[in-house]
Amino acid sequence: AQSVTQPDIHITVSEGASLELRCNYSYGATPYLFWYVQSPGQGLQLLLKYFSGDTLVQGIKGFEAEFKRSQSSFNLRKPSVHWSDAAEYFCAVGSPGANNLFFGTGTRLTVIP
Amino acid sequence: GAGVSQSPSNKVTEKGKDVELRCDPISGHTALYWYRQRLGQGLEFLIYFQGNSAPDKSGLPSDRFSAERTGESVSTLTIQRTQQEDSAVYLCASSLERGTGTQYFGPGTRLLVL
């Protein structure tokens, strides 16, 4: 069965500092991986996705993520966080032919001045 | 349309009442999904529609939950005899393709059952 683990419930970083949000997945084959961001009162917005090819994927808002098969991870990174990045971040996994995505429980990011 | 829309944005109801939630997907998107997000939790898949195919109802938590979609248009999620544990944000998403297609989410309906 597919599952996604986001081990960090809440992370606080200073504005301008680097960020890494962890995501581990469980799936038998190569998964399709996604990162979504949810700002307060907003719907989920896709940051980036990995289907195949280059394991380092670039997304919107300066985010990137790296697929590491050996570690079953797809961690999200940003070199310099902005106050507007404060939000809830969800990692999700899908697979070819699947009807839905499996989401992690989310990581809430707080950015302090 | 510009994006996925959902209505109402908020709904407060009494235990035992029925509620109906609406989702307008992006025009041309054949796939439509409903998810439930309880406070502090990730998204929980409920149901999936693809064109005129039979829906995937495998995520519906009980027979009090049902959903309909006519063709590739609006979908309604109905919860009968609501319980307090149904309180959550109900999110709708649509995509051009099933499974791997990027899902575009609506803002959700926040349901509170008193």
Side-chain angles (χ1 to χ4, degrees):
Chain A
Q2 299 177 58
S3 66
V4 179
T5 302
Q6 292 181 250
D8 304 307
I9 296 173
H10 185 203
I11 285 181
T12 300
V13 299
S14 299
E15 191 169 16
S18 63
L19 171 71
E20 182 169 28
L21 302 183
R22 295 182 291 167
C23 173
N24 292 94
Y25 66 89
S26 173
Y27 181 62
T30 300
Y32 297 151
L33 296 158
F34 306 79
W35 274 99
Y36 282 86
V37 60
Q38 185 178 36
S39 299
Q42 307 282 321
L44 275 76
Q45 181 183 21
L46 180 69
L47 285 176
L48 47 79
K49 61 186 177 184
Y50 170 80
F51 287 176
S52 65
D54 192 346
T55 56
L56 183 64
V57 292
Q58 303 296 321
I60 62 171
K61 304 185 179 184
F63 285 93
E64 66 176 28
E66 186 171 12
F67 169 58
K68 292 186 177 180
R69 184 191 302 276
S70 62
Q71 298 177 20
S72 298
S73 70
F74 189 57
N75 294 349
L76 182 72
R77 301 194 294 250
K78 186 169 184 177
S80 178
V81 170
H82 188 262
W83 64 266
S84 61
D85 294 324
E88 187 96 19
Y89 291 80
F90 292 93
C91 181
V93 62
S95 62
N99 290 339
N100 61 285
L101 298 178
F102 290 87
F103 284 82
T105 51
T107 297
R108 184 160 61 94
L109 174 65
T110 297
V111 181
I112 56 177
Chain B
V4 178
S5 60
Q6 293 185 245
S7 61
S9 53
N10 291 279
K11 176 72 177 178
V12 180
T13 190
E14 295 178 349
K15 177 181 173 182
K17 301 281 190 183
D18 298 350
V19 295
E20 191 171 276
L21 313 179
R22 177 187 170 104
C23 171
D24 280 272
I26 294 172
S27 178
H29 281 194
T30 60
L32 186 147
Y33 313 76
W34 283 98
Y35 292 87
R36 177 171 69 178
Q37 185 180 23
R38 289 178 161 146
L39 189 64
Q41 309 260 331
L43 277 70
E44 175 189 5
F45 167 72
L46 297 177
I47 189 169
Y48 161 79
F49 295 90
Q50 173 66 49
N52 294 314
S53 302
D56 176 355
K57 305 179 182 179
S58 59
L60 294 179
S62 77
D63 59 8
R64 296 187 295 105
F65 288 71
S66 63
E68 293 183 350
R69 186 187 188 197
T70 303
E72 297 179 0
S73 61
V74 169
S75 174
T76 56
L77 176 69
T78 301
I79 309 174
Q80 297 178 306
R81 305 181 302 282
T82 52
Q83 303 295 312
Q84 289 182 331
E85 66 259 27
D86 298 334
S87 296
V89 176
Y90 289 83
L91 291 163
C92 175
S94 69
S95 70
L96 277 172
E97 314 154 5
R98 68 190 286 244
T100 62
T102 298
Q103 296 184 22
Y104 295 86
F105 284 81
T109 294
R110 187 175 301 277
L111 174 66
L112 178 60
V113 182
L114 300 176

